[in-house]
Amino acid sequence: MNAHVPHTRGPAPVPVATVGTERDVFALRRRAKGVAEAVGLDNRDQVRLATALSELGRDLLRPMPMTATFEVLREPAALKATLRWHDDRVPSGDSLDAVIRLLPQTLYLPATDGAVRPAGRTRGGRIEITCPVPELAARDLEVAHALALMETDAPASAIDDLRSQTQDLIAALEEAHAQRDELERLNEELTETNAGVMALYAELTVEHKDVVERFGQEHELALTLQRTFLPATLPRSPGVDLAVRYLPAATTAEIGGDFYEAIDTPHGLLLAVGDVVGHSLQAAVVMGQLRHALRAYAAQGHPPHVLLQHLDHLLGLHQPGWTTSVCIVLVEPGNSRLQVANAGHLPPLLLSPGGTPRYLREHGPLLGLGVEHPPAVSHAIESDSLLLMVTDGLIETRDSDLYERMEVLSAAASAGPREPEALCTKLIDVFAAEPDDDIIVFAARLRRPE
């Protein structure tokens, strides 16, 4: 058990609620996430604190309720959550150990009133969970404000709790651009496709006590959720054949943020492949934000480099500290020219019929750096050309040179089939036996429309 570290306190502890039912546990989880956000904890720590309190709340649930409080500590800056009870309950060893693995600064303090009960227990006890806060600057009012804004009624179920988090994501996008109707449609589609995932998540949350085991199963759910952020179908455009393959990493590491998109726009067919830097559930959320925003901005008819500029602004505004590589290719009507704008991604490979394959190496800075992006570059293309766009998980390995691997990919694609579906299958077979990273292979065959 970790030793208690003294802190200089801020305002008095804020009581949240009594916890006596499963419904109260859901409310506690929701409120914990709100307070954690108000004092500046990042999304990962918000989820960890909410999950830990939810786990302990269910483990200690008895007819006699507990109380839950939050307290802002000053030096060092931290948020402390405390569960208190006044009967003979004790936390199970499994639940307490699992919470300590999630949040090491967790302290269990049995009552010290000296009144020994049956089985050697004292009456009552408390659990303190301390989460360091990176920057604390007069956030007292923000904590109280966060609590005041919360609904007094707890969510009816874990599904409602998760649905509210999805709505938060969509609300952020609505503030970023004017495509409200398009975003609402995307939100409805996302809610529909996630219904089964959220139902399974709720079942796991209620039935399983071991947090570590549940996180392993949540990883599988997160992979499913990540797939719902990707396009369900590809558009049909005259003279264009499209095929794509998406493979998550074969390891049990956290999920990544690879994505692709194909959109019919007022100025032609827009193709995009990107990769959020990092591997976590938050990386997948950032990916979902960028993909939805890209669809909305593309509907306005912006050229590729302006799309990158808008996405860069959105990322800096709502997800500071995150960076993303994105390559956008706009195939102009008639399929005789294309425009390329690239924000730090692997260059697309163009294979002309009977010609030498070449990478379109126009480059710009990663998204999230706030640096201006150069104008898109236009290229003439022959009829029946193949365009190949990939993420680095396909070819990058720890013990090889990336540029050498790009040449190997170029040779394999040049010797491969001309049909996009067959080419994607061939490249996956050659390069992706046991991928260490997420992989996207996106191929387009471009012919003059009849």
Side-chain angles (χ1 to χ4, degrees), residues 308 324-328 341-346 362-367 373:
L308 293 180
T324 304
S325 68
V326 180
C327 181
I328 296 178
N342 195 336
H345 199 76
L346 288 176
E362 291 76 28
H363 238 56
L366 288 168
L367 300 185
H373 291 265

Side-chain angles (χ1 to χ4, degrees), residues 36-51:
E37 181 180 6
V39 300
L41 294 183
D42 62 24
N43 184 265
R44 185 184 185 88
D45 285 339
Q46 293 172 29
V47 172
R48 285 175 178 263
L49 178 61
T51 301

